[in-house]
Amino acid sequence: MKLRKVLIIIAAICVTGIGGLAIWIMHLDPKEITALAERKTAEATGRQLHIDGTISLKFSLIPTLAIDGVRFQNAAWGSQPDMLSVKHAEIQLALLPLFHRQIALRKVVLIEPQILLEANAKGDKNWVFDAGKKSQSTDRQLTIDIAALRIEQGSLVYKPGTPAQTQQVHIASLSLKTSGGSQATIDANATVDDVPIELAGVIPSPGQLATRSGAASKLDLKVTSAGTTLALSGQIPAAVPNASPLEGVNLRFTAQTNDPSAFAKQFKISLPHLPATQIEGQAGIAKSILKLDFQKFQIGHSVMHAQLRMPFDGERRSVSFNADSTLIDLREIFGPIAPAKTKKAAGSDGRLFSDDTLPVKNLSAFDMTGDLKVARLVLRDGHALQALNAKADLRRGTLRLDPISVNVDNKPLRATVLAEVSNDHALSMNVSLEGKGVALSALAALADVAAVPEGAPTDLSIHYSGRGTSIRQLAASANGDVRVVVGPGRWKGKAFDVGEDITEVFKAIMPTGTSTSDYTELQCAVIRFPLKQGVARIENGIGIETTKVKVLATGVVDLRNETINMGFHPKAGTGLGVGIGNLAQLVRVGGTLSNPEIKMDPVGAATTAAELGLAAYTGGASLLAQRLFSGKSIDNPCNTALGKSSSTQADTSSSKAAPSAKTDVEQISHDAANALRGLFGGKR
């Protein structure tokens, strides 16, 4: 038999088969189609499929099935009866693949599909089906291939288990077309929680993503949303046996936005107003290790490069990273330092330190090593730091940051942190901070404080240890010591603006710029005190000297109940006189840390008496002045605060030896009252 006849016979058989199949399809009863679809769906998923509308069939070489009113049952515990509903669907069916037990859908059109995905508090998911009666047939499974999908005015609602927030996706239009089996082109316009998103490009076909078989698939996708563009490109290879599902994936990504804060706001994330941001990098998985390389991470003029590695195998998850930057400009990123807040923000219970549980329990779940280097760090006041270096090591719940070092005008500043998480999720911390000759303005800028002296080289040594499950407990258990010594400097202006509370203290005890000079010259300042079980006992431990005033302070700050009781003893720099600006008063700070009260002690009433001749009555020096200054070494407050004054030690010993004696404040009030009585002829 000639080849031509063979081909003719084969063609006749195919035509006959196709014709017979076409005639069978033409004579199908829509009710039979409905019943078959509902029965097969129930067998496969254990749930009911309902077709409430009509079914019609348009016959051609590619038959088209049109269905109205399709509903698919939700899980029994679901919040709504239906998991899926479609107002209208059209399905174009290819005939030849049916001979090979393949369902090839040339085109699927869904009009107003509504999909509900949800989970309950137990973790059950409505898209996980309980299969019904399993088929006993040993025949091969049917395979389904969709060549083109179009969705119009669809919606998807995702309700995860409590307390996560429901998310909504509205699909205005979506077009998906496969080409070459493993590739598909996509073009979509949608909104995610009212945020507009556009997608366009080439992605792996749904079938390829499901099987990961055959050749590698290409990805070249562009996503645009709220002025931000994200691009992904690369290869998604075939699945590797006994390896991670994403083994071999290698993608390049870029992201660019002119207004990151506006973009974040679309997703209900609050960010400060940031300059334009650009990110370029590569992501991949090789030998079960996730590799992220940020080849460029730029915010304004700040540029950083970073690498992250995370293995998937091993007993414990571990992460390693290193990052380096030539410049990070905090002033450009976050703006200049804002004026100090008038009040400290307190919690709903009126306390400054939060009692919320610290989120540290997950620190024991993974290990981490990291290294950060920044050549130049510009603070928010414009001060530039050099050679920032930080090393981090986290192993089985113990975090070490050692060292954290930086140079401030070639003056070193170094910190170390040791944090350990116990089995009861309590955090134990040990922190140290050491610096020598560091400009006070740079230190203040690190704490977002702007109005501080120019110059003022500062030596500091701060040590802290504590334990707790909240910031409040860490403060209440604080142990350590503080030693800060500030050298000569000056500040400009008539206010020392570091927040209303502290500023008011300085206004009360320290005259600032005058009409003849806009500057206040600082000679020295010292802060020195120990911390024991959350209590700072400051025994003449704060001393300040300017060209206009000398100040010595004593008191107690109790971090356990967040109370403060401090007395500031000032003295005019030119000595006592009849002018009110030259007569000292006692400034008291009491109350709580979140709402301190600043007031003059009742002894301050004696200033009026002094102006009327109290100094002459007492032989040239008032009783008030004697009590405040002679026993406190007020003439050299910085040395006194450093513990170099023998008279201070004597006073302290005397006070301890006579616990029943009156306090300094009580004695001052008593002396002032006696002076006033004597002045007006009363009995003292």
Side-chain angles (χ1 to χ4, degrees), residues 585-586 600-607 624 628 665 668-669 672:
Q585 298 181 23
L586 177 64
M600 300 299 179
D601 191 88
V603 71
T607 56
L624 171 63
L628 280 177
V665 174
I668 291 168
S669 300

Side-chain angles (χ1 to χ4, degrees), residues 563-599:
T563 59
I564 182 172
N565 186 11
M566 292 289 300
F568 291 83
H569 307 260
K571 177 184 178 181
T574 56
L576 289 176
V578 297
I580 190 170
N582 291 328
L583 184 62
Q585 298 181 23
L586 177 64
V587 178
R588 298 191 62 186
V589 181
T592 65
L593 296 179
S594 62
N595 188 28
E597 299 175 354
I598 303 166
K599 62 184 178 180

Side-chain angles (χ1 to χ4, degrees), residues 569 584-586 623-632 634 668:
H569 307 260
Q585 298 181 23
L586 177 64
L623 297 175
L624 171 63
Q626 291 177 26
R627 191 66 185 175
L628 280 177
F629 306 141
S630 61
K632 299 296 184 181
I634 191 67
I668 291 168

Side-chain angles (χ1 to χ4, degrees), residues 5 33 49 71 85-86 108 173 208 296 312 324 492 527 567 625:
K5 290 185 177 180
I33 298 177
L49 175 72
R71 295 184 294 112
S85 66
V86 180
V108 175
S173 63
Q208 177 66 13
K296 183 179 183 180
F312 288 127
D324 64 271
K492 186 176 183 180
I527 301 175

